[in-house]
Amino acid sequence: VGDSADFDEEVESICPFCGVGCQVSLKVKDGKVKYVEGINGPANEGRLCVKGRFGFDYIHHPHRLTKPLIRRQDAPEKGLNVDPGNWQTHFREALWEEALDFAAAGMKGRGREIAGFGSAKCTNEEAYLFQKLIRQGFGHNNVDHCTRLCHASSVAALMENVGSGAVTATFNEIENADVAIVIGANPIENHPVAATFFKQFAKRGGKLIVMDPRGQALKRFASHMLQFRPGADVSMLNAIMHVIVEEGLYDQQYIDAYTENWEAEKRHLADFSPEAMAPICGIEPEVLRDVARTFAGAKAAMIFWGMGISQHIHGTDNSRCLISLALMTGQVGRPGSGLHPLRGQNNVQGASDAGLIPMFLPDYQPVTDDGVRSAFTKVWGTADFSNERGLTVTEIMDAVHADKIKGMYILGENPAMSDPDVEHARAALAKLDHLVVQDIFLTETANYADVILPASAFAEKTGTVTNTNRQVQMGRPAVAPPGDAREDWWIEVELAKRLGLPWDYQSPADVFAEMKQNMRSLDNITWERLSGENAVTYPSLSPQDPGQAIVFGDGFPRPEGRARFTPASVIAPDDVPDEDYPMILTTGRQLEHWHTGSMTRRSTVLDGLEPEANCSLHPSTLRKLGVAPGEHVLLTTKRGSISIMAREDRAVAPDMVFVPFAYVEAAANILTNPAIDPFGKIPEFKFSAVRVEKAEGA
Ligand code: SF4
């Protein structure tokens, strides 16, 4: 950390990595961001993790795209074969005029043959423009983004049972709780600043119940650690709720006042005694009973969850259980209580709010509703578009293979790394006859592009982002984009004009003003307020209200104001171990790397800390395989194989292997199962049958 003499300027913005949404001060010297400090945002209160503090130098990396690129006519066949430092055999530089004309000409007039992936890394305004471009420009709803791979099942369950897809309370509310459950999440690695509040809560005497098939660092702070069998979430949670019913620990007054379908839930839970469920979930009946009594006995309790809950074919059922647990104990809508799915990307909440999903327009208004669509087309000044829900991320790739989709516009997403069974996605990208990629690096997905549009990193753009807490925050530019790179909203507008759309935005503020016309969540939140205050939480009840940290204290946005109990039955994972594939593969992130690695692997400090693809195995498993830590293992599923360095990790069960998905040289998603949850359409990244062997030459 330096002093003011070390920089020319300091600019307040938002960390570009996780959904915590830490506010940062970017210290600029000679046109470059030199260092970063945390400032007093509502979520972070001055704190930052290693990514926020040291992970910013990717924005000045020599691999940054500085000119539009068009695929050479004599380029080698499309594939994952472009060296980002030496792309000239595949692409040629072009002027913006030519590149935009080329990008638009390949999409114009092709209606349902075109699909779009927007980005949770872009601003709210850019997400809004992206979904509008697909809907208005092509007349359908085939537009999605990485929420499909992240919390789509949580949102499906929350919409169904609570009437809103966002958190009911900020994570900071934990300071008013006396009990908290953290399940299927590893916040010390994935939401590190939120984790500091969880640790403080435990140190003050709060009871922290951690539930996860993988042991984790938060265990040290836990009053209870339930390391349950992978995929047994519903059995375990129903058993806990069974005890609450059996022992009469539920809040009848709350249930009567604010919920529906309780009797059905109660009847359903009768079959899930702890004794019957213990062999399935691997947790002793007495522990399940103790957790039930502890949670139900709390004055105020919160439930936090992550992708360990959502990324299953029963992800929606997992979330339904958590919602039911909170409702039956009346733990929603008061200080220190609530439901909080910890959102992944920095703006996945905002991109979803802005309508970057195939079934909803902004503010989760259904595309199937004629009145909703007409409210939007009135503001947009164009004709109606399809009333059918569009295709999701993985369905779009299937539609490419089925020759139904032939062109795509992909902004800031990297499906060539992030999709399950990623060779299937890569083959789909190679098959497209027109692929427009807008990004800051020549990503694995851009390898397959016909035209690449160079975009801006977070520190080069103006716009709002919304974090896991529903806090809408203002991001500001500290440096200029490199070369001819442009802000994403500008590129979208130029493309839309070439598609014949009547767009006339002069700035992101214009876009935000339009968003407000059909998004009640933004009532009382103006561009001017955000420019002055940096953050306002939605809903905000007046121009002076900083926003509501807790919602639904007096009922829910559902019929008669009642939340719903939806009973959840046990569904086995799709790809269960057998003789050939006897172990369980689970994937996720690690502290130093972000998602597909395009940013953090170009950050000196972060890649220096974690430079090599690795997987985690229990010491007993390594011994059995005859593999020493640091040697390579071969992981094989029904989809493919990777060779990867093995680490010893006692937190992983002996029949499990954990693989982070940031490394292209050993891409975890070559292995993962594309089977999806029927409601949230989210793939089962957290469970595949796998064979683990010593790699040749290990
Ligand atoms: Fe950035 Fe998340 Fe770390 Fe905060 S916790 S600094 S938002 S990565």
Side-chain angles (χ1 to χ4, degrees), residues 15-22 24 44 47-53 190-194 594:
C15 172
F17 293 107
C18 88
V20 171
C22 296
V24 293
N44 63 316
R47 309 169 199 193
L48 291 181
C49 78
V50 66
K51 287 192 288 291
R53 194 174 293 281
N190 295 330
H191 300 84
V193 166
W594 185 255

Side-chain angles (χ1 to χ4, degrees), residues 399-517:
V400 175
H401 282 290
D403 284 329
K404 290 191 176 137
I405 286 175
K406 298 184 176 168
M408 285 189 74
Y409 176 22
I410 300 181
L411 192 172
E413 293 245 322
N414 196 6
M417 279 290 286
S418 59
D419 264 31
D421 187 12
V422 77
E423 294 294 10
H424 175 83
R426 290 173 183 174
L429 294 170
K431 191 166 189 261
L432 288 167
D433 59 38
H434 189 66
L435 174 58
V436 181
V437 172
Q438 181 172 324
D439 214 308
I440 62 171
F441 291 115
L442 210 157
T443 59
E444 290 74 19
T445 299
N447 273 234
Y448 297 87
D450 294 284
V451 52
I452 304 173
L453 307 174
S456 291
F458 81 104
E460 299 155 0
K461 62 166 73 172
T462 307
T464 66
V465 286
T466 306
N467 68 0
T468 189
N469 279 347
R470 295 182 265 104
Q471 284 148 350
V472 186
Q473 306 198 87
M474 181 60 80
R476 299 180 181 84
V479 292
D484 289 343
R486 292 280 185 276
E487 289 191 49
D488 292 86
W489 74 270
W490 180 90
I491 303 170
E492 291 171 296
V493 170
E494 290 301 314
L495 209 45
K497 285 181 187 164
R498 285 163 176 79
L499 291 169
L501 304 183
W503 287 21
D504 184 27
Y505 305 101
Q506 302 304 313
S507 70
D510 289 352
V511 183
F512 190 82
E514 180 177 309
M515 291 167 71
K516 281 175 61 64
Q517 293 187 52

Side-chain angles (χ1 to χ4, degrees), residues 613-617 633 635 644-648 657-660 692:
N614 57 82
C615 69
S616 302
L617 285 155
V633 287
L635 308 181
I644 189 166
M645 185 256 284
R647 274 194 184 144
E648 187 176 89
V657 53
F658 170 76
V659 187
V692 184

Side-chain angles (χ1 to χ4, degrees), residues 7 21 35 74 111 148 164 176 178 266 281 315-316 353 358 367 406 459 539 552 605 652 698:
F7 52 83
Y35 64 98
D74 59 351
R148 195 64 44 212
S164 159
N176 296 315
D178 52 336
K266 229 162 68 164
C281 65
T316 305
D353 296 344
V367 296
K406 298 184 176 168
F552 310 147
V605 170
V652 178

Side-chain angles (χ1 to χ4, degrees), residues 154-488:
S154 309
V155 172
L158 286 164
M159 291 294 293
E160 171 189 53
N161 298 298
V162 178
S164 159
V167 300
T168 72
T170 63
F171 67 74
N172 313 70
E173 268 304 308
I174 197 169
E175 72 179 36
N176 296 315
D178 52 336
V179 176
I181 288 177
V182 175
I183 179 167
N186 185 359
I188 286 184
E189 300 223 26
N190 295 330
H191 300 84
V193 166
T196 63
F197 290 87
F198 299 174
K199 290 186 242 178
Q200 284 177 332
F201 157 81
K203 281 185 176 166
R204 276 198 309 270
K207 292 209 166 101
L208 185 63
I209 302 167
V210 179
M211 304 173 172
D212 201 294
R214 198 155 64 103
Q216 51 168 283
L218 204 56
K219 179 179 175 179
R220 284 195 290 129
F221 300 86
S223 59
H224 303 69
M225 175 74 209
L226 277 61
Q227 198 166 344
F228 61 97
R229 292 206 48 74
D233 319 59
V234 168
S235 312
M236 180 181 69
L237 293 167
N238 276 352
I240 291 167
M241 290 191 283
H242 173 102
V243 175
I244 291 173
V245 173
E246 187 184 59
E247 300 188 4
L249 304 175
Y250 47 88
D251 184 341
Q252 189 68 55
Q253 220 179 336
Y254 184 88
I255 292 167
D256 290 345
Y258 294 118
T259 71
E260 63 180 38
N261 212 30
W262 168 237
E263 289 305 321
E265 176 77 30
K266 229 162 68 164
R267 276 196 305 278
H268 180 77
L269 291 172
D271 295 336
F272 293 87
S273 72
E275 289 69 26
M277 292 303 109
I280 300 171
C281 65
I283 304 295
E284 290 299 318
E286 264 326 295
V287 176
L288 295 168
R289 288 184 187 282
D290 187 30
V291 167
R293 290 167 193 147
T294 303
F295 189 83
K299 286 197 198 73
M302 294 188 75
I303 303 176
F304 299 93
W305 71 97
M307 280 163 258
I309 281 290
S310 61
Q311 289 177 334
H312 285 283
I313 59 163
H314 51 270
T316 305
D317 280 325
N318 288 347
S319 296
R320 285 170 174 155
C321 288
L322 298 175
I323 294 164
S324 293
L325 177 59
L327 293 176
M328 70 169 58
T329 48
Q331 293 294 0
V332 180
R334 291 179 290 107
S337 73
L339 291 157
H340 192 118
L342 287 155
R343 305 306 302 254
Q345 297 261 14
N346 63 329
N347 198 33
V348 70
Q349 183 65 56
S352 302
D353 296 344
L356 207 50
I357 27 185
M359 41 304 256
F360 296 118
L361 281 148
D363 261 2
Y364 307 92
Q365 300 177 76
V367 296
T368 48
D369 186 314
D370 294 346
V372 165
R373 284 196 321 287
S374 100
F376 278 92
T377 50
K378 197 165 155 206
V379 172
W380 295 353
T382 42
D384 197 7
F385 54 92
S386 172
N387 63 358
E388 284 172 34
R389 295 165 174 224
L391 300 175
T392 61
V393 162
T394 54
E395 289 172 341
I396 285 171
M397 291 306 180
D398 291 340
V400 175
H401 282 290
D403 284 329
K404 290 191 176 137
I405 286 175
K406 298 184 176 168
M408 285 189 74
Y409 176 22
I410 300 181
L411 192 172
E413 293 245 322
N414 196 6
M417 279 290 286
S418 59
D419 264 31
D421 187 12
V422 77
E423 294 294 10
H424 175 83
R426 290 173 183 174
L429 294 170
K431 191 166 189 261
L432 288 167
D433 59 38
H434 189 66
L435 174 58
V436 181
V437 172
Q438 181 172 324
D439 214 308
I440 62 171
F441 291 115
L442 210 157
T443 59
E444 290 74 19
T445 299
N447 273 234
Y448 297 87
D450 294 284
V451 52
I452 304 173
L453 307 174
S456 291
F458 81 104
E460 299 155 0
K461 62 166 73 172
T462 307
T464 66
V465 286
T466 306
N467 68 0
T468 189
N469 279 347
R470 295 182 265 104
Q471 284 148 350
V472 186
Q473 306 198 87
M474 181 60 80
R476 299 180 181 84
V479 292
D484 289 343
R486 292 280 185 276
E487 289 191 49
D488 292 86

